[in-house]
Amino acid sequence: MAKVAVKEYFPRELAGRAKGAREVSVYEGHYKQIFEYGLEKFLNEARTLASFNSMEGIIWVKDFFYENSTAYIIMEYVEGINLKEYVRQNGELKPVKVLEIMRPILLSLEKIHHLGLIHRDISPENIVLNEEGNAYLVDFGITRPYTGEDFKTITVFFKRGYAAEEQYREQGEQGPWTDIYARCATMYDMLTGV
């Protein structure tokens, strides 16, 4: 039987669980509205990931569902370490090695961009290398469309050192170029350790 990772939506600042209970209890007042909004975003991440199941270098979603007044995502489990830790342990990587690691992710991101989506959070922490050295892009929690009506609701989000300039502004126009900047910064980190 293959190992899986189970991701539960359980923001502790918005909800709790009694000892030994399965059911999540959402705090009263405005917490409930925030919880429900976050729950929908969580399930959107699952839907997005499930649509990428045929792509190399992307974590596959096996299932997602509501249960216990919350939701769960069942994903393939990748045994390994993230790129940040890998570079820390092994030092700067040769350009050939960087391209070998990143190639499947670069090709999959191109397909994701053609679907009108951007990842918005590419960094060494969000790329995991398994024991065979295959790389997987993880954490699609802030993936958004970059065109149409949904584009107008893109929020400010950035990971210092990997975020493009437009991610620092509320009205910054984000698109595939936003991910290109982040993956270049990630590759620079792999090459230099900085």
Side-chain angles (χ1 to χ4, degrees):
M1 179 180 276
K3 284 186 181 180
V4 296
V6 179
K7 187 174 181 180
E8 178 186 45
Y9 179 69
F10 186 62
R12 294 183 190 281
E13 67 278 4
L14 303 175
R17 180 180 278 130
K19 187 175 181 175
R22 292 183 178 180
E23 204 76 16
V24 170
S25 298
V26 181
Y27 301 143
E28 295 295 320
H30 73 284
Y31 297 108
K32 189 170 192 86
Q33 185 179 15
I34 297 168
F35 180 89
E36 288 171 2
Y37 176 76
L39 181 62
E40 189 54 40
K41 288 175 76 101
F42 180 83
L43 288 170
N44 282 340
E45 175 188 356
R47 288 181 195 99
T48 298
L49 277 170
S51 70
F52 301 154
N53 276 357
S54 63
M55 295 183 192
E56 188 179 1
I58 306 292
I59 296 290
W60 289 21
V61 167
K62 301 197 178 279
D63 199 4
F64 55 94
F65 54 90
Y66 288 102
E67 188 71 37
N68 303 323
S69 299
T70 191
Y72 299 86
I73 303 173
I74 311 301
M75 300 173 283
E76 73 176 310
Y77 179 76
V78 176
E79 190 100 35
I81 63 172
N82 69 39
L83 268 179
K84 182 175 185 165
E85 186 64 23
Y86 182 82
V87 171
R88 191 180 72 70
Q89 289 178 11
N90 296 287
E92 301 162 1
L93 304 178
K94 301 279 186 216
V96 171
K97 182 68 173 172
V98 170
L99 289 174
E100 177 187 316
I101 290 170
M102 292 298 289
R103 189 172 199 286
I105 292 170
L106 297 173
L107 293 172
S108 290
L109 277 170
E110 182 179 22
K111 292 175 186 172
I112 290 166
H113 292 157
H114 282 292
L115 294 171
L117 298 169
I118 52 176
H119 185 278
R120 300 176 61 220
D121 193 17
I122 299 168
S123 69
E125 290 94 340
N126 286 338
I127 297 174
V128 176
L129 291 172
N130 69 7
E131 294 167 342
E132 292 81 34
N134 300 316
Y136 293 87
L137 181 61
V138 299
D139 198 355
F140 283 75
I142 62 167
T143 299
R144 297 288 180 271
Y146 65 88
T147 59
E149 287 301 307
D150 289 338
F151 173 71
K152 294 175 184 163
T153 63
I154 285 183
T155 54
V156 172
F157 178 86
F158 61 89
K159 190 171 284 178
R160 196 169 305 284
Y162 302 96
E165 178 272 335
E166 62 269 15
Q167 287 181 276
Y168 287 80
R169 296 181 286 120
E170 254 184 66
Q171 300 301 317
E173 188 175 338
Q174 298 179 35
W177 51 88
T178 306
D179 284 348
I180 291 169
Y181 182 94
R183 63 189 189 204
C184 288
T186 297
M187 292 169 76
Y188 180 83
D189 187 323
M190 295 167 74
L191 291 164
T192 65
V194 178

